[in-house]
Amino acid sequence: MPAADPPAAADAAFDEGAPAHAPPSRPRPPPPPRPLSLASALPFWFYLAAAVSLVALLLPRISPASSSPAPLPPLLRGHLASGSVLKLDPAPGLFAVTSRPGGGGGGGGSPAPRVLILPGLAAGTFSFRRVLSSLSSRGVLAAALDLPGQGLSPAPPAAPAPARTSVLREIMDRGVFHAFEHLVQTGEVPYQEEPAAPPGPSPHAPAEAAAAVARAVEALGVAPVHLVLHDSALAAGAAFALANPGAVRSVTLVDATASLPAFPAAVFDVPVLGRLVVRVPALFRGLVLLCCARGLGAEEAEAHRAAMRGEGRTHGVIEAWKAMNHSFQLGEWRGSSDEVRRLPMMVLWSGSWSDMWIDEGKKVAAALPDAKFVYHSGGRWPQDASEEISGLIAEFVTSSEETS
């Protein structure tokens, strides 16, 4: 029989270096080209931008514009009727609520202790309306102030734009050749805009807010007061006590912090998300339940949301958040003067909110070793434990009055 044909030269060259027992291999044909789809051609950020744009287009449908403002919820309307905006000079004015004891004074004909509450960021005097009522039922004259641009206080007046020289107007008035003559004579280039003046202090800054509180206390005629500082009002209240030692008899901190407010104001700084939170009741209530108070009902949450939808309200919350004094040290303030060091102090802290918040309370207790420290059962806003908190405040200020 004839011998078998030897393998082709191409096959031998292809299998060179391969094991002798390995079968010959041939190159696989390339896969057919996949059709180009829109999903593979566009990056992820494009879809994200499209989703945000779609939400932005739907926002007017969520809350259609109307020529007349929506009516205020009954709870907020009643709270507005119980207080008023103090006309202060200089501005801004502050919204104030005062709840007086039914008997007109304390026991035995002595004047009633006077308590001034400064609510924290976005909480407002509305959050303390039950605390105010409970304090007055215990024989305490209780007042609360919304800090500048927060709660129901009007927005501070906008700073005037700095005057700037118009280069075009100066050229039209003096002529083009004036520039050359001025350059030859003085060696300076004319028609330069003067740099803008540095901005003034923010009315939301702690020092400016403390000055507004001092004017409001004088207008109310309630000094000296037992000061109650809630949440982010700590720095402003501390500045007020330091600058006005004769106007303060004691200080109570209610879940107070200089840099960790309960309400996440950064949400309002996100354009689309901030508008959604304020316009959609379920989103707003969910945010407050998550961060501020677990027992907030739908009607109360709607009143908070309506207050936040007022003109300039969200802007005021953002500006107050940005103006917070993150370098404030509670221990340094306590030892800043003899008057502050002698003030009786109490700290009320939520013992049920979270382990992280309990650890934050321990830091406050360490910074104020001589202060009375009490855990309460509510959240970071006072709605969850208003009776408990008001009872502790009334007991503390009454004992402070007796001691003094």
Side-chain angles (χ1 to χ4, degrees), residues 212-251:
V213 169
R215 295 191 291 271
V217 169
E218 183 179 0
L220 289 171
V222 294
V225 298
H226 297 273
L227 197 59
V228 177
L229 307 179
H230 170 245
D231 196 66
S232 61
L234 172 60
F240 168 75
L242 182 60
N244 304 272
V248 180
R249 287 194 169 181
S250 72
V251 177

Side-chain angles (χ1 to χ4, degrees), residues 262 264 284-294 353:
F284 183 86
R285 185 188 177 199
L287 186 67
V288 176
L289 289 174
L290 179 66
C291 302
C292 307
R294 294 195 180 99
W353 187 254

Side-chain angles (χ1 to χ4, degrees), residues 241-318:
L242 182 60
N244 304 272
V248 180
R249 287 194 169 181
S250 72
V251 177
T252 298
L253 308 183
V254 182
D255 295 280
T257 172
S259 57
L260 294 174
F263 189 83
V267 170
F268 289 155
D269 214 17
V270 182
V272 174
L273 182 59
R275 292 175 63 191
L276 272 175
V277 168
V278 175
R279 293 190 178 198
V280 181
L283 286 179
F284 183 86
R285 185 188 177 199
L287 186 67
V288 176
L289 289 174
L290 179 66
C291 302
C292 307
R294 294 195 180 99
L296 195 71
E299 188 179 5
E300 193 170 2
E302 181 59 21
H304 273 287
R305 189 180 73 91
M308 199 71 70
R309 294 186 66 181
E311 183 178 358
R313 294 287 187 264
T314 56
H315 177 73
V317 171
I318 294 172

Side-chain angles (χ1 to χ4, degrees), residues 47 81 91 125-126 133 147 157 164 172 174 193 252 320 344-345 383:
Y47 298 103
T125 55
F126 180 76
S133 177
L147 293 178
R164 302 179 70 92
M172 293 176 64
R174 298 189 180 186
E193 291 189 357
T252 298
M345 288 198 68
Q383 288 95 327

Side-chain angles (χ1 to χ4, degrees), residues 357-380:
W357 190 241
I358 291 176
D359 292 339
E360 193 67 27
K362 293 177 181 178
K363 296 177 184 177
V364 173
L368 303 171
D370 58 337
K372 180 181 180 181
F373 191 93
V374 182
Y375 283 114
H376 64 82
S377 60
R380 295 186 61 179

Side-chain angles (χ1 to χ4, degrees), residues 20-380:
H21 61 275
S25 60
R26 288 178 172 79
R28 295 179 180 178
R34 299 174 60 185
L36 185 62
S37 64
L38 184 62
S40 61
L42 297 178
F44 169 76
W45 61 261
F46 177 86
Y47 298 103
L48 181 61
V52 171
S53 302
L54 179 61
V55 172
L57 290 174
L58 292 176
L59 276 178
R61 304 176 186 272
I62 296 174
S63 180
S66 142
S67 57
S68 59
L72 294 177
L75 282 180
L76 185 61
R77 191 164 57 246
H79 182 67
L80 270 170
S82 66
S84 62
V85 176
L86 301 175
K87 305 295 184 181
L88 305 178
D89 186 22
L94 300 183
F95 181 81
V97 180
T98 303
S99 183
R100 301 181 181 276
S110 60
R114 287 163 286 189
V115 168
L116 177 66
I117 300 175
L118 300 183
L121 188 70
T125 55
F126 180 76
S127 294
F128 281 87
R129 69 193 189 283
R130 294 196 192 98
V131 174
L132 293 172
S133 177
S134 180
L135 284 173
S136 63
S137 69
R138 301 171 190 269
V140 176
L141 190 155
L145 293 172
D146 281 329
L147 293 178
Q150 299 188 50
L152 298 174
S153 290
R164 302 179 70 92
T165 304
S166 173
V167 176
L168 179 59
R169 174 59 60 186
E170 191 171 354
I171 291 175
M172 293 176 64
D173 292 343
R174 298 189 180 186
V176 178
F177 293 102
H178 170 72
F180 180 74
E181 295 174 359
H182 184 86
L183 179 62
V184 172
Q185 293 175 3
T186 65
E188 298 177 355
V189 179
Y191 307 138
Q192 291 183 337
E193 291 189 357
E194 297 180 0
S202 168
H204 305 278
E208 299 300 315
V213 169
R215 295 191 291 271
V217 169
E218 183 179 0
L220 289 171
V222 294
V225 298
H226 297 273
L227 197 59
V228 177
L229 307 179
H230 170 245
D231 196 66
S232 61
L234 172 60
F240 168 75
L242 182 60
N244 304 272
V248 180
R249 287 194 169 181
S250 72
V251 177
T252 298
L253 308 183
V254 182
D255 295 280
T257 172
S259 57
L260 294 174
F263 189 83
V267 170
F268 289 155
D269 214 17
V270 182
V272 174
L273 182 59
R275 292 175 63 191
L276 272 175
V277 168
V278 175
R279 293 190 178 198
V280 181
L283 286 179
F284 183 86
R285 185 188 177 199
L287 186 67
V288 176
L289 289 174
L290 179 66
C291 302
C292 307
R294 294 195 180 99
L296 195 71
E299 188 179 5
E300 193 170 2
E302 181 59 21
H304 273 287
R305 189 180 73 91
M308 199 71 70
R309 294 186 66 181
E311 183 178 358
R313 294 287 187 264
T314 56
H315 177 73
V317 171
I318 294 172
E319 292 302 314
W321 169 61
K322 292 180 178 179
M324 291 181 67
N325 182 7
H326 296 279
S327 61
F328 177 82
Q329 296 294 326
L330 194 55
E332 292 181 4
W333 168 80
R334 180 63 162 164
S336 57
S337 71
D338 292 336
E339 292 84 356
V340 172
R341 193 160 37 245
R342 287 195 295 265
L343 285 173
M345 288 198 68
M346 178 175 68
V347 179
L348 302 181
W349 208 261
S350 173
S352 62
W353 187 254
S354 68
D355 292 340
M356 185 185 73
W357 190 241
I358 291 176
D359 292 339
E360 193 67 27
K362 293 177 181 178
K363 296 177 184 177
V364 173
L368 303 171
D370 58 337
K372 180 181 180 181
F373 191 93
V374 182
Y375 283 114
H376 64 82
S377 60
R380 295 186 61 179

